[in-house]
Amino acid sequence: MEGLMMEFPLLVKTIMSHAERNHPQQEIVSVTADNPLHRYTFEECFSRVRKLANVFDKIGAGGDARIATLAWNDYRHMELYFSVSCSGRVCHTINPRLYTEQLIYIINHAVDEFIFTDIMFVELLEEIVVHCPQIKGCVIMSDAKHMPETTLPNPMCYETLLQDESDEHEWPELDENTAAVLCYTSGTTGKPKGVLYSHRSTVLHTYGQALPDTMGISALDCVFPIVPMFHVGAWGFPFAGTMVGTKFVMPGPSATLSEPKLLVDLINNEGVTISAGVPTVWLPILKYTEETGRHLKPLRKVAIGGSACPLSMMEEFRDLYGVQVVHAWGMTETNPLGAVNNHKPATVILRGEELDRHMQSAGRAIPGVQLKIVDDDGEELPWDGVAYGALKVRGPWVCATYFKLEEASDAHSEKGWFDTGDVATIDSEGFIRITDRTKDVIKSGGEWISSIELENIAMGNKAVAEAAVIGIHDPRWQERPLLVVVKSDGTEVEARELIHYFEGKVAKWWIPDDVVFVDEIPHTATGKISKLALRSMFADYTLPESAER
Ligand code: AMP
C-alpha cells in the first residue's frame, strides 16, 4: 500500500552510527592485559572499528566469514563486535572455559577463518588450532611491545595491523536477516549447538533491553558488564549501552572470581550505575564488601540471571547497599533476554513474605517475547502461579533452528515455538518462576520437588556460602533431595541443623534427606552450578535410612 514508512533495515551499523553521531565523547574504560586502565571515547572506538574492517579485507577474510574471538570484556572486543558484524561477517564469540575438545569442535563446526585472542589465551589456542586446519591466521589482541612468543599459525599483532590503516570504510548494505553473531550453547549434554543472531534480532533485542521495564538504561548510566562478552554477548549490554550512549567500564581479565577488590574499585572510581552477572560472580564481591566495609555507592542496579538469584543475595544488595537487583531469565537461544522482574501496579504494593516470594520470580516477558507453559501432552496450562509445565517461548529474538544442526532438535518439535528445557509456573500477572531445568527437577513419589527453591532457602542460612540440590535415587520414592553445601568461612554447622532450617519453609516431604559438606561446588563454563558434575560426584551416594519423609 502507498504512503507507508521508509524501508529501513534493522542493522547493527545503525546502532553504531547513532552512537557516533549523538554520543561521540562518551567513554569506554577497560582493563586489559597490556594496560591496567585504558580509556577512550566512542568516537575513537568507531574510527578503529572502520580501520579493523579494512584489516579484515587486507588479511583475506571472506565477505561473510566467521571470525572468532577468545577474549575478555574490553574495548578491543567491543571493536570486534561492531566491525565483524557491520562488515557482513559473523562474530563468533568463544567461551575459553569450555573443554579443549569442545573448543576444537565449535571452531571447526563454525568454520572460523581467523581467531582474535587475548594474550592470556594464546597457550590454550596453540593447543587447539593444530586441530583446526581452516584457520588462516590468529590475531593477538595486544600492542607490539606485549606480543608473546607463539607457535600459532600466521600470528599477527592487533595494534600493528591497525596502526597504518585508513579509518574510512564503506559499510555494506546488508539484508537485516544477515547473521551478525554466533554463540554456542555450553553443551553440558551432547555437543554444543550454535545459535546465530541476525542483525534484525540483535537490533530488536537491543531496543527491548533498553526499555524501562527491562534494564532501563539511559545516557546517564555507566554500564559495567561483568558477564563475559563470550557468553551470549554479555547479555546484550555492549549493543544496548552503545545505542543509548552509556559510559562503559569493561573489567577485562579481572572479571574472574579472584579479583573482587579490583571490581569494587572500578565500580566506585568510575561511577558504575548498572552491572550484570550470574549469581556466582556476586558471591565473592559481597563477601569482600562485607569484610572490608566498602560501599557500592554509585551502583543503582545489578542484573542477575543465568541461574536463580538467591533471595538472600537480593536482600543483601537492597538492605546493605541500596542496590536494586533486576532478576532476569534468558538463554543463549533467546539472544539472551526473555523475561525480567520489574514491578507492575499489582506487585509494587507487596510486602513481607509475599514480596520475598515475588522477588524470586524470574520476571515477566519482555515486549516482543511470548511465553507459555504446557503439560506433557502439549496442552497449554493456566497462568495461575500453581500449574507447572514445560516453558516455551517465541519471538523475533528466539532461535528458529540451530546452526548447521545435522539431526532435528526436540526443542523445535512444536512449530513456531522453542522449548526452553525449563519447567516453570506463570502467575496471573505474567511472572514466571523457574522450578528447574527439566532434567534437574527431583521426582519424588510421582511429585516434583524444585531444586532451585531448596537452594534458595539454604542460601538464606548464614552458615552456607553456596548450596546445590540434586536428586538421589531412592528405592521407594524414586528420587530424594540431597543438599550439597560449601560452608561460609569460619562457620561450623551440622547437617541436622541445616535440615531443621527447612522446617516451616517448605512442605515436609520437600526437605532434603541429607546434607553433604564439600570444599567446592563444580561450575559450568558459564559460571553456573554444574548439576551434571554433581550427579556424577554423588552417583554412588546412598541416603541415610533414618531420613523422615
Ligand atoms: P544459557 O543458555 O547457558 O544462558 O542457559 C540458559 C538457562 O539458564 C535457562 O534455560 C535456565 O535454565 C537458566 N536460567 C537463566 N536465567 C535463570 C533464572 N533467572 N532463574 C533460573 N534459571 C535461569
Side-chain angles (χ1 to χ4, degrees), residues 523-537:
H523 291 101
T524 66
T526 48
K528 304 178 191 190
I529 291 171
S530 173
K531 296 278 172 95
L532 201 70
L534 267 179
R535 277 194 286 265
S536 88
M537 266 169 76

Side-chain angles (χ1 to χ4, degrees), residues 166-182:
S166 154
D167 70 352
E168 283 182 20
H169 187 87
E170 197 65 39
W171 299 111
E173 280 310 322
L174 304 167
D175 184 301
E176 63 179 14
N177 289 309
T178 308
V181 177
L182 174 60

Side-chain angles (χ1 to χ4, degrees), residues 314-351:
M314 298 191 218
E315 287 176 336
E316 207 168 329
F317 267 118
R318 182 191 62 194
D319 300 340
L320 300 183
Y321 306 103
V323 175
Q324 179 202 352
V325 168
V326 181
H327 193 195
W329 170 88
M331 48 197 316
T332 310
E333 288 88 339
T334 61
N335 221 158
L337 293 175
V340 178
N341 190 341
N342 277 304
H343 278 305
K344 288 169 69 171
T347 64
V348 75
I349 51 171
L350 297 175
R351 295 288 177 272

Side-chain angles (χ1 to χ4, degrees), residues 160-416:
T160 310
L161 286 173
L162 252 65
Q163 200 173 303
D164 299 320
E165 211 39 78
S166 154
D167 70 352
E168 283 182 20
H169 187 87
E170 197 65 39
W171 299 111
E173 280 310 322
L174 304 167
D175 184 301
E176 63 179 14
N177 289 309
T178 308
V181 177
L182 174 60
C183 237
Y184 280 75
T185 60
S186 39
T188 41
T189 48
K191 288 182 180 146
K193 294 190 277 294
V195 184
L196 262 184
Y197 308 146
S198 64
H199 282 257
R200 177 186 155 80
S201 74
T202 305
V203 172
L204 289 172
H205 181 270
T206 303
Y207 284 121
Q209 177 170 10
L211 290 173
D213 278 350
T214 310
M215 290 302 157
I217 52 174
S218 88
L220 299 178
D221 275 311
C222 173
V223 170
F224 184 43
I226 299 181
V227 52
M229 290 172 75
F230 57 71
H231 182 217
V232 219
W235 298 350
F237 278 100
F239 291 124
T242 302
M243 182 181 79
V244 303
T246 66
K247 174 177 170 180
F248 278 103
V249 178
M250 294 296 201
S254 62
T256 49
L257 298 180
S258 51
E259 297 187 64
K261 177 184 178 307
L262 220 151
L263 300 178
V264 172
D265 286 348
L266 285 171
I267 291 172
N268 289 328
N269 299 344
E270 296 298 331
V272 168
T273 59
I274 297 188
S275 186
V278 294
T280 41
V281 163
W282 301 107
L283 291 171
I285 295 177
L286 289 172
K287 182 165 175 270
Y288 167 77
T289 47
E290 202 172 318
E291 280 168 6
T292 56
R294 292 194 64 185
H295 66 83
L296 298 169
K297 276 213 182 91
L299 201 57
R300 68 182 181 92
K301 60 179 155 189
V302 291
I304 304 187
S307 46
C309 178
L311 179 64
S312 53
M313 184 175 280
M314 298 191 218
E315 287 176 336
E316 207 168 329
F317 267 118
R318 182 191 62 194
D319 300 340
L320 300 183
Y321 306 103
V323 175
Q324 179 202 352
V325 168
V326 181
H327 193 195
W329 170 88
M331 48 197 316
T332 310
E333 288 88 339
T334 61
N335 221 158
L337 293 175
V340 178
N341 190 341
N342 277 304
H343 278 305
K344 288 169 69 171
T347 64
V348 75
I349 51 171
L350 297 175
R351 295 288 177 272
E353 277 179 19
E354 277 184 333
L355 177 62
D356 289 351
R357 192 171 160 73
H358 173 73
M359 281 163 69
Q360 289 169 68
S361 149
R364 55 194 165 90
I366 300 171
V369 172
Q370 294 177 15
L371 303 168
K372 69 172 177 179
I373 43 172
V374 298
D375 65 15
D376 288 346
D377 300 323
E379 289 301 318
E380 189 164 355
L381 292 164
W383 289 22
D384 59 7
V386 179
Y388 52 82
L391 178 66
K392 294 195 172 192
V393 59
R394 67 178 176 189
W397 57 84
V398 177
C399 96
T401 51
Y402 288 107
F403 175 55
K404 282 174 42 187
L405 189 75
E406 287 130 29
E407 64 279 12
S409 122
D410 286 347
H412 289 105
S413 55
E414 184 184 355
K415 200 170 179 307

